[in-house]
Amino acid sequence: MDRPVVLDARPLQPGFKSHLDRGIGRYTKNLISALLELEGASGFTLLLQAGLPRPDLPQELACRHLPTAPAWLPGDERIWAHHALAALKLPKLAAGAGLVHFFCHLDAPAFIKAPAVITVHDLIFQRLAGLYQPPGGGAGFGLKRWVETRCLYQAKRIIAVSRQTKRDLMELYNIPDRNIRVIPEGPDPGLIPADDPHEIKAALERHGLGGGGAFFLYLGGIDQRKGLEYLLEALALLREQGLPHTLALAGKIQNDAQYPTVREHIRRLGLEDRVRLLGYVPDRDLPSLFAACTGFVFPSLYEGFGLPPLEAMACGAPVVAADASAVPEVVGDAGILVRPKSPESLAGAMARLLEEPGLAESLRQQGLRQVKKFTWKAAARATLELYREAHK
């Protein structure tokens, strides 16, 4: 490309929203790394937030900084101020660049005034407004969604991470098919099957799972769409069937608004001795947990992509997941897809993994083959092609 592309690397800066340790941070880190591997640093410039630490990316990358909103502003007002400052400053910062790539549409200003490619991960708030709209807060909720999506009509091209997200863009916002390219994500390159028994044992002990008992694993958030209540009820059904089993819940969930509800559900079902709340699990320990679990269970009712089951398959874990939204695109025939919102279906699939070792091993092998369809190198190549298309 004859002009540099400005990459919005703010999701990799600690203190910029909460992207860094979540899916958007993983997406940004892995896609930028793959783009640099293919094209080198000279073709790109980083867009960063002033006053925040520089992300761990090659020092030779040029940087442009957006001003930060005053710290004394309240939360919502500070968000609006960030968007306003970005809209004012971006045209100048993007001057001379071919285009700007925002790795999440929630980070793009409402009015961009610069050639842009925008990645849309999901439209969960729009699809499941009933779950997230606060009581009596319909007007404010709707205004936020309106502001968040103005950028979509100004983008030269939009990347949807799944066919599900592309359908949502077309159905909810009438975005033309020609403006959207489906470019799936990939697993983190560091997530590969663990094969060192000592390393696996040490990781299990670090997370209170070293007693030798078998367990199912869940990794992700706990908000309403994740379907945790159905998973807990499935665990109770297994106990009633004489198949008591431990469930390990991994993720930074203790400060989530739904955490008290989840704890109460565990108590009400009498599962206190069957559920382990692991909290945050570092990436270095994930392959060991995936390797040791009986199966990875993902009952989510809506995903824009479905990175956790992909990561589980990359590490050789058998996957049980709800047959909903984008998850079937990721899992394919390599896992057991069950009826959404059905503890009975979940429990039935989990029981099969407990009682049929051959099935579990078959799913491990199928998952490892399935995950080869999703690579960051392929995502980077498709993204570069989209940049060239957007330049025309």
Side-chain angles (χ1 to χ4, degrees), residues 94 115 127 149 253 266 326:
R127 277 296 186 202
T149 52
I253 61 176
I266 292 170

Side-chain angles (χ1 to χ4, degrees), residues 202-363:
L204 293 176
E205 289 175 350
R206 280 194 292 272
H207 297 285
L209 296 167
F215 65 94
F216 286 102
L217 179 65
Y218 170 83
L219 170 67
I222 58 171
D223 61 79
Q224 302 98 308
R225 70 183 168 89
K226 294 294 186 177
L228 262 294
E229 66 268 37
Y230 307 112
L231 178 52
L232 292 172
E233 289 164 16
L235 195 68
L237 287 174
L238 289 179
R239 181 185 57 193
E240 292 173 9
Q241 295 167 17
L243 295 169
H245 223 65
T246 297
L247 172 65
L249 296 179
K252 294 174 74 171
I253 61 176
Q254 282 78 0
N255 295 324
D256 192 285
Q258 291 297 310
Y259 186 65
T261 302
V262 171
R263 290 297 299 265
E264 173 57 23
H265 206 145
I266 292 170
R267 187 203 64 77
R268 185 170 57 81
L269 292 170
L271 295 172
E272 294 95 334
D273 63 336
R274 289 293 168 188
V275 179
R276 303 284 185 271
L277 300 170
L278 307 187
Y280 173 73
V281 175
D283 284 355
R284 65 185 176 92
D285 287 346
L286 286 176
S288 294
L289 266 60
F290 283 130
C293 71
T294 300
F296 177 77
V297 190
F298 197 65
S300 180
L301 306 178
Y302 186 98
E303 296 291 319
F305 179 70
L307 196 54
L310 185 68
E311 293 178 338
M313 291 189 296
C315 293
V319 169
V320 174
D323 188 2
S325 62
V327 173
E329 297 179 40
V330 174
V331 175
D333 296 327
I336 303 176
L337 296 174
V338 302
R339 192 165 66 253
K341 300 184 180 181
S342 173
E344 294 79 12
S345 293
L346 273 173
M350 294 162 75
R352 290 185 65 194
L353 291 182
L354 287 169
E355 297 173 330
E356 302 177 37
L359 172 63
E361 180 57 30
S362 174
L363 291 177

